[in-house]
Amino acid sequence: MKISSATLVALRPEPVTMDPEWSHASLTAILAEPTTRAGSRRRAHSRVALVSLAFAATSTLGAGVAVAAGDLTFHSFTEVFSYWKSVDGHQGVDPARAQRMATAPGPDDAVFSVLATGSDYTCRTAVVESAESAEDPLPSSFTPVTDNFCASTPLGADFGGADVSFQGQTAGYIVSAGSAARAEVHTPDGREYPALLVDGDFWGWFPTDAHPTLVGYALDGTVIGRVELGKGTGSPDQPQ
């Protein structure tokens, strides 16, 4: 028996919309989970997965939201990071004050951007955003790809201490620069990825299957150290 398209449409159940207040509250609570900068950073793998789940719950049943490389799922930077206004007992930091500190080519013709709010106590994060979004004052079509944190400057950390966040096919990383003036990120097969020096840290992204190495250099070209940017890693290897 053949069933027409009109019959299938008539039989299709109505979409079920999730409670927007619950979804927003859940997302805000997950993003507001505190992070630390003293010593080694807390890795953000589980939080990224929970953020993806919370955001997917805001869509209607059957529509779904896939969070992966190239899927730019958020549209309001100030809303996503609204909890920066009251973090760690400090006076609130308005996410609307954030500015792009550095940018680099991202995956799938997107743009990788590092943002910070400035001042003595500043909040930082990095996102992958569309080329059109990169022209706006703040990201308007983006996905966070690194951990985010608020701290006083300068950071004063030694080289290493990698924080790598995996999301879909894209990973974002933060590595303390220490005395390194620049860094290169490359894979055994010769692929290269960005390493942007911002406020004492190297920031960048790479495909999750790349397993690259970050090499830090002093001003005179001396190798400061190496960091393997793969799952379960993050401790620097000292130069031989």
Side-chain angles (χ1 to χ4, degrees), residues 21-66:
E21 293 185 1
W22 175 87
S23 299
H24 178 72
S26 299
L27 177 59
T28 300
I30 292 168
L31 289 172
E33 184 181 345
T35 64
T36 60
R37 286 285 296 178
S40 62
R41 296 189 184 92
R42 181 185 53 77
R43 297 189 181 278
H45 306 162
S46 60
R47 185 169 68 180
V48 170
L50 289 171
V51 170
S52 302
L53 176 62
F55 189 82
T58 66
S59 64
T60 58
L61 184 66
V65 175

Short mmCIF file of all heavy atoms in Angstrom, two decimals, residues 21-66:
data_model
loop_
_atom_site.label_atom_id
_atom_site.label_comp_id
_atom_site.label_asym_id
_atom_site.label_seq_id
_atom_site.Cartn_x
_atom_site.Cartn_y
_atom_site.Cartn_z
N GLU A 21 12.73 28.64 29.66
CA GLU A 21 13.32 29.11 30.91
C GLU A 21 14.22 28.04 31.52
O GLU A 21 15.31 28.32 31.99
CB GLU A 21 12.21 29.50 31.90
CG GLU A 21 11.40 30.73 31.46
CD GLU A 21 10.40 31.14 32.52
OE1 GLU A 21 10.37 30.48 33.60
OE2 GLU A 21 9.67 32.12 32.28
N TRP A 22 13.75 26.76 31.48
CA TRP A 22 14.57 25.67 31.99
C TRP A 22 15.84 25.52 31.16
O TRP A 22 16.93 25.33 31.69
CB TRP A 22 13.77 24.38 31.96
CG TRP A 22 14.59 23.18 32.37
CD1 TRP A 22 14.81 22.69 33.61
CD2 TRP A 22 15.33 22.32 31.47
NE1 TRP A 22 15.65 21.60 33.55
CE2 TRP A 22 15.98 21.34 32.27
CE3 TRP A 22 15.51 22.29 30.09
CZ2 TRP A 22 16.78 20.35 31.71
CZ3 TRP A 22 16.31 21.30 29.53
CH2 TRP A 22 16.93 20.34 30.34
N SER A 23 15.71 25.59 29.83
CA SER A 23 16.87 25.43 28.95
C SER A 23 17.90 26.51 29.21
O SER A 23 19.10 26.23 29.30
CB SER A 23 16.41 25.47 27.48
OG SER A 23 15.50 24.43 27.21
N HIS A 24 17.43 27.77 29.32
CA HIS A 24 18.37 28.87 29.53
C HIS A 24 19.04 28.74 30.89
O HIS A 24 20.26 28.94 31.02
CB HIS A 24 17.63 30.20 29.44
CG HIS A 24 18.51 31.39 29.71
ND1 HIS A 24 19.46 31.83 28.81
CD2 HIS A 24 18.61 32.21 30.80
CE1 HIS A 24 20.09 32.87 29.32
NE2 HIS A 24 19.60 33.10 30.52
N ALA A 25 18.26 28.36 31.93
CA ALA A 25 18.83 28.22 33.26
C ALA A 25 19.86 27.10 33.31
O ALA A 25 20.91 27.22 33.93
CB ALA A 25 17.71 27.96 34.28
N SER A 26 19.57 25.99 32.61
CA SER A 26 20.51 24.87 32.58
C SER A 26 21.80 25.24 31.89
O SER A 26 22.89 24.94 32.35
CB SER A 26 19.87 23.67 31.86
OG SER A 26 18.71 23.24 32.54
N LEU A 27 21.68 25.93 30.74
CA LEU A 27 22.87 26.35 30.00
C LEU A 27 23.72 27.32 30.81
O LEU A 27 24.93 27.20 30.88
CB LEU A 27 22.46 26.99 28.68
CG LEU A 27 23.59 27.54 27.81
CD1 LEU A 27 24.57 26.43 27.45
CD2 LEU A 27 23.04 28.18 26.55
N THR A 28 23.05 28.29 31.48
CA THR A 28 23.77 29.28 32.28
C THR A 28 24.51 28.60 33.43
O THR A 28 25.66 28.92 33.72
CB THR A 28 22.80 30.33 32.82
OG1 THR A 28 22.16 30.98 31.73
CG2 THR A 28 23.54 31.36 33.68
N ALA A 29 23.85 27.63 34.09
CA ALA A 29 24.48 26.93 35.22
C ALA A 29 25.69 26.14 34.78
O ALA A 29 26.71 26.11 35.45
CB ALA A 29 23.45 26.01 35.88
N ILE A 30 25.59 25.49 33.62
CA ILE A 30 26.72 24.69 33.11
C ILE A 30 27.89 25.59 32.77
O ILE A 30 29.03 25.34 33.13
CB ILE A 30 26.29 23.87 31.88
CG1 ILE A 30 25.29 22.79 32.31
CG2 ILE A 30 27.49 23.23 31.20
CD1 ILE A 30 24.58 22.12 31.16
N LEU A 31 27.62 26.69 32.06
CA LEU A 31 28.69 27.60 31.65
C LEU A 31 29.31 28.30 32.84
O LEU A 31 30.47 28.68 32.82
CB LEU A 31 28.15 28.65 30.67
CG LEU A 31 27.81 28.12 29.27
CD1 LEU A 31 27.11 29.20 28.46
CD2 LEU A 31 29.06 27.67 28.55
N ALA A 32 28.53 28.47 33.93
CA ALA A 32 29.01 29.19 35.10
C ALA A 32 29.85 28.32 36.02
O ALA A 32 30.37 28.80 37.01
CB ALA A 32 27.83 29.77 35.88
N GLU A 33 30.03 27.03 35.71
CA GLU A 33 30.85 26.16 36.53
C GLU A 33 32.23 26.77 36.66
O GLU A 33 32.88 27.08 35.67
CB GLU A 33 30.94 24.78 35.88
CG GLU A 33 31.71 23.78 36.71
CD GLU A 33 31.80 22.44 36.00
OE1 GLU A 33 31.04 22.24 35.03
OE2 GLU A 33 32.63 21.63 36.41
N PRO A 34 32.72 27.00 37.89
CA PRO A 34 33.98 27.73 38.06
C PRO A 34 35.18 26.99 37.51
O PRO A 34 35.21 25.76 37.48
CB PRO A 34 34.09 27.89 39.59
CG PRO A 34 33.27 26.75 40.13
CD PRO A 34 32.14 26.56 39.16
N THR A 35 36.17 27.77 37.06
CA THR A 35 37.44 27.21 36.62
C THR A 35 38.55 27.83 37.43
O THR A 35 38.37 28.84 38.10
CB THR A 35 37.69 27.51 35.13
OG1 THR A 35 37.80 28.93 34.96
CG2 THR A 35 36.56 27.01 34.28
N THR A 36 39.72 27.23 37.40
CA THR A 36 40.85 27.76 38.15
C THR A 36 42.03 27.96 37.24
O THR A 36 42.19 27.26 36.26
CB THR A 36 41.25 26.80 39.28
OG1 THR A 36 41.61 25.55 38.70
CG2 THR A 36 40.11 26.59 40.26
N ARG A 37 42.87 28.94 37.58
CA ARG A 37 44.09 29.19 36.83
C ARG A 37 45.32 28.82 37.66
O ARG A 37 46.39 28.69 37.12
CB ARG A 37 44.18 30.67 36.44
CG ARG A 37 43.26 31.06 35.32
CD ARG A 37 43.77 30.55 34.01
NE ARG A 37 45.04 31.16 33.67
CZ ARG A 37 45.72 30.86 32.58
NH1 ARG A 37 45.30 29.94 31.77
NH2 ARG A 37 46.86 31.46 32.32
N ALA A 38 45.20 28.71 38.99
CA ALA A 38 46.35 28.38 39.81
C ALA A 38 46.74 26.92 39.56
O ALA A 38 45.88 26.05 39.53
CB ALA A 38 46.01 28.58 41.29
N GLY A 39 48.04 26.67 39.39
CA GLY A 39 48.49 25.33 39.10
C GLY A 39 48.00 24.87 37.74
O GLY A 39 47.95 25.64 36.80
N SER A 40 47.62 23.61 37.63
CA SER A 40 47.11 23.11 36.35
C SER A 40 45.66 23.46 36.19
O SER A 40 44.90 23.49 37.15
CB SER A 40 47.29 21.59 36.30
OG SER A 40 46.53 20.98 37.32
N ARG A 41 45.25 23.75 34.95
CA ARG A 41 43.85 24.11 34.69
C ARG A 41 42.98 22.87 34.73
O ARG A 41 43.38 21.78 34.37
CB ARG A 41 43.71 24.76 33.31
CG ARG A 41 44.44 26.07 33.15
CD ARG A 41 44.01 26.68 31.82
NE ARG A 41 44.74 27.89 31.54
CZ ARG A 41 45.86 27.95 30.85
NH1 ARG A 41 46.40 26.85 30.39
NH2 ARG A 41 46.44 29.11 30.61
N ARG A 42 41.71 23.05 35.14
CA ARG A 42 40.76 21.97 35.07
C ARG A 42 40.34 21.80 33.63
O ARG A 42 39.97 22.74 32.96
CB ARG A 42 39.52 22.31 35.92
CG ARG A 42 38.47 21.21 35.90
CD ARG A 42 37.23 21.66 36.66
NE ARG A 42 36.76 22.92 36.14
CZ ARG A 42 36.10 23.06 35.01
NH1 ARG A 42 35.86 22.02 34.25
NH2 ARG A 42 35.69 24.25 34.60
N ARG A 43 40.38 20.57 33.13
CA ARG A 43 40.04 20.33 31.74
C ARG A 43 38.54 20.51 31.54
O ARG A 43 37.74 20.29 32.42
CB ARG A 43 40.48 18.93 31.31
CG ARG A 43 41.99 18.78 31.38
CD ARG A 43 42.43 17.49 30.74
NE ARG A 43 43.87 17.36 30.84
CZ ARG A 43 44.73 17.93 30.02
NH1 ARG A 43 44.30 18.70 29.03
NH2 ARG A 43 46.02 17.76 30.17
N ALA A 44 38.17 20.90 30.31
CA ALA A 44 36.79 21.28 30.03
C ALA A 44 36.05 20.27 29.18
O ALA A 44 35.00 20.57 28.65
CB ALA A 44 36.77 22.64 29.33
N HIS A 45 36.55 19.04 29.03
CA HIS A 45 35.94 18.08 28.11
C HIS A 45 34.48 17.83 28.47
O HIS A 45 33.60 17.89 27.62
CB HIS A 45 36.70 16.74 28.15
CG HIS A 45 38.17 16.90 27.89
ND1 HIS A 45 39.07 15.92 28.23
CD2 HIS A 45 38.88 17.90 27.33
CE1 HIS A 45 40.29 16.32 27.90
NE2 HIS A 45 40.20 17.51 27.35
N SER A 46 34.20 17.51 29.76
CA SER A 46 32.84 17.16 30.13
C SER A 46 31.92 18.35 30.02
O SER A 46 30.76 18.22 29.64
CB SER A 46 32.82 16.61 31.57
OG SER A 46 33.31 17.58 32.48
N ARG A 47 32.41 19.57 30.35
CA ARG A 47 31.55 20.74 30.29
C ARG A 47 31.14 21.04 28.86
O ARG A 47 30.00 21.40 28.59
CB ARG A 47 32.23 21.96 30.90
CG ARG A 47 31.29 23.15 30.94
CD ARG A 47 31.83 24.29 31.76
NE ARG A 47 32.98 24.89 31.15
CZ ARG A 47 33.63 25.91 31.69
NH1 ARG A 47 33.25 26.37 32.86
NH2 ARG A 47 34.65 26.46 31.09
N VAL A 48 32.07 20.87 27.90
CA VAL A 48 31.72 21.10 26.50
C VAL A 48 30.60 20.18 26.07
O VAL A 48 29.66 20.59 25.41
CB VAL A 48 32.95 20.91 25.61
CG1 VAL A 48 32.57 20.92 24.14
CG2 VAL A 48 33.97 22.02 25.86
N ALA A 49 30.68 18.91 26.48
CA ALA A 49 29.63 17.96 26.11
C ALA A 49 28.31 18.36 26.73
O ALA A 49 27.25 18.27 26.09
CB ALA A 49 30.02 16.56 26.56
N LEU A 50 28.31 18.82 27.99
CA LEU A 50 27.08 19.23 28.64
C LEU A 50 26.49 20.48 28.02
O LEU A 50 25.27 20.61 27.89
CB LEU A 50 27.34 19.46 30.14
CG LEU A 50 27.61 18.20 30.96
CD1 LEU A 50 28.07 18.58 32.35
CD2 LEU A 50 26.36 17.33 31.03
N VAL A 51 27.34 21.42 27.62
CA VAL A 51 26.85 22.62 26.94
C VAL A 51 26.16 22.24 25.65
O VAL A 51 25.10 22.75 25.31
CB VAL A 51 28.01 23.60 26.67
CG1 VAL A 51 27.55 24.71 25.75
CG2 VAL A 51 28.51 24.18 27.98
N SER A 52 26.76 21.31 24.90
CA SER A 52 26.16 20.87 23.65
C SER A 52 24.80 20.26 23.91
O SER A 52 23.83 20.52 23.19
CB SER A 52 27.07 19.83 22.97
OG SER A 52 28.34 20.37 22.72
N LEU A 53 24.69 19.43 24.97
CA LEU A 53 23.43 18.79 25.29
C LEU A 53 22.39 19.81 25.70
O LEU A 53 21.24 19.76 25.26
CB LEU A 53 23.64 17.77 26.42
CG LEU A 53 22.40 17.06 26.95
CD1 LEU A 53 21.75 16.25 25.83
CD2 LEU A 53 22.76 16.16 28.11
N ALA A 54 22.77 20.78 26.54
CA ALA A 54 21.81 21.78 26.99
C ALA A 54 21.30 22.62 25.84
O ALA A 54 20.12 22.95 25.76
CB ALA A 54 22.46 22.68 28.05
N PHE A 55 22.18 22.97 24.92
CA PHE A 55 21.74 23.79 23.80
C PHE A 55 20.82 23.00 22.87
O PHE A 55 19.83 23.52 22.37
CB PHE A 55 22.93 24.31 23.00
CG PHE A 55 22.53 25.34 21.97
CD1 PHE A 55 22.33 26.65 22.35
CD2 PHE A 55 22.31 24.98 20.67
CE1 PHE A 55 21.95 27.59 21.42
CE2 PHE A 55 21.93 25.92 19.72
CZ PHE A 55 21.74 27.22 20.11
N ALA A 56 21.13 21.71 22.68
CA ALA A 56 20.28 20.88 21.83
C ALA A 56 18.88 20.79 22.40
O ALA A 56 17.90 20.70 21.67
CB ALA A 56 20.88 19.49 21.68
N ALA A 57 18.75 20.82 23.73
CA ALA A 57 17.44 20.71 24.35
C ALA A 57 16.56 21.90 24.09
O ALA A 57 15.34 21.84 24.27
CB ALA A 57 17.60 20.52 25.87
N THR A 58 17.11 23.02 23.65
CA THR A 58 16.30 24.20 23.39
C THR A 58 15.59 24.13 22.05
O THR A 58 14.75 24.96 21.75
CB THR A 58 17.16 25.47 23.41
OG1 THR A 58 18.08 25.43 22.32
CG2 THR A 58 17.92 25.59 24.72
N SER A 59 15.94 23.16 21.20
CA SER A 59 15.30 23.04 19.90
C SER A 59 14.08 22.14 20.00
O SER A 59 13.89 21.43 21.00
CB SER A 59 16.28 22.47 18.87
OG SER A 59 16.66 21.17 19.24
N THR A 60 13.24 22.13 18.99
CA THR A 60 12.06 21.31 18.98
C THR A 60 12.40 19.88 18.65
O THR A 60 13.40 19.59 18.00
CB THR A 60 11.04 21.83 17.96
OG1 THR A 60 11.66 21.84 16.68
CG2 THR A 60 10.58 23.22 18.32
N LEU A 61 11.56 18.94 19.11
CA LEU A 61 11.76 17.53 18.85
C LEU A 61 11.78 17.27 17.36
O LEU A 61 10.89 17.70 16.64
CB LEU A 61 10.63 16.72 19.51
CG LEU A 61 10.75 15.20 19.40
CD1 LEU A 61 11.95 14.72 20.19
CD2 LEU A 61 9.47 14.54 19.93
N GLY A 62 12.80 16.56 16.90
CA GLY A 62 12.88 16.24 15.48
C GLY A 62 13.75 17.22 14.73
O GLY A 62 14.29 16.90 13.68
N ALA A 63 13.90 18.45 15.24
CA ALA A 63 14.74 19.43 14.55
C ALA A 63 16.19 19.18 14.90
O ALA A 63 17.04 19.01 14.05
CB ALA A 63 14.32 20.84 14.93
N GLY A 64 16.49 19.17 16.22
CA GLY A 64 17.83 18.83 16.67
C GLY A 64 18.84 19.92 16.37
O GLY A 64 18.64 20.76 15.51
N VAL A 65 19.93 19.91 17.12
CA VAL A 65 21.06 20.81 16.87
C VAL A 65 22.32 19.99 16.95
O VAL A 65 22.62 19.40 17.98
CB VAL A 65 21.10 21.96 17.90
CG1 VAL A 65 22.34 22.80 17.68
CG2 VAL A 65 19.85 22.83 17.77
N ALA A 66 23.06 19.90 15.87
CA ALA A 66 24.32 19.16 15.87
C ALA A 66 25.44 20.12 16.20
O ALA A 66 25.60 21.14 15.55
CB ALA A 66 24.55 18.53 14.50
#
